[in-house]
Amino acid sequence: MIQSIVQFFKNLFSFFSQQQQKIDEQPASSINEKRISYSAQLIPALKNDHQELVALYSKISDLLHTQHYVEIEHILSSLKIEFNRHIMQENVSFYCYLEQQFADDANHMETIRSYRKEMNGISHAFVKFIKKWQSDAVTAENAQVFREEYDAIGAVLAQRINSEEDHLYPLYHPS
């Protein structure tokens, strides 16, 4: 039994070594073909995402105001899904493109990495907030606590959206 496990790991190691060797042997032109391409539709799509996220966020405020607490959990779920999709799109298509475009520009790279790091922190706090309130349903008894946390996270997100759209998104342009 031990011999078969050892053989399995040897085969696995050999496979990954061969794959890495293939990557290392690829000509530079092949590697350049794998670069992230500019998309004229990306920024409008990301801004549209922002509008949809704000609309979902506002819906929660309306439900809170009208004391329809049960419905908040469903909107939180939708908000989490849309937020995660948006963050993934930004990370893969937007930030990666900017990082390859400004690889030789230390000032822009510092700005981009700073925004990315800040967004990772905001994203973590936002998902933590949603998970908390999905497991601890909003009720009349805890609605005030929810409102305070909701308002705090909303202020951070609103500031971030404005900052991205005003300062970061204009860096995205064709090479």
Side-chain angles (χ1 to χ4, degrees), residues 126-142:
F126 185 73
V127 170
K128 185 177 175 182
F129 163 78
I130 289 177
K131 284 182 178 180
K132 173 187 176 184
W133 289 104
Q134 284 179 316
S135 64
D136 298 338
V138 181
T139 64
E141 293 76 28
N142 65 13

Side-chain angles (χ1 to χ4, degrees), residues 3 5 25 40 45 52-53 65 69 73 80 88 91 96 105 113 122 149-150 153 157 162 166 173:
Q3 289 178 347
I5 293 172
E25 292 172 356
E52 290 178 17
L53 290 167
H65 179 72
Y69 304 124
E73 185 177 345
K80 180 182 170 188
M88 191 178 323
N91 278 329
C96 288
D105 184 334
R113 287 189 177 133
I122 292 169
E149 292 178 15
Y150 171 84
I153 199 83
L157 289 173
N162 289 332
D166 292 345
H173 49 76

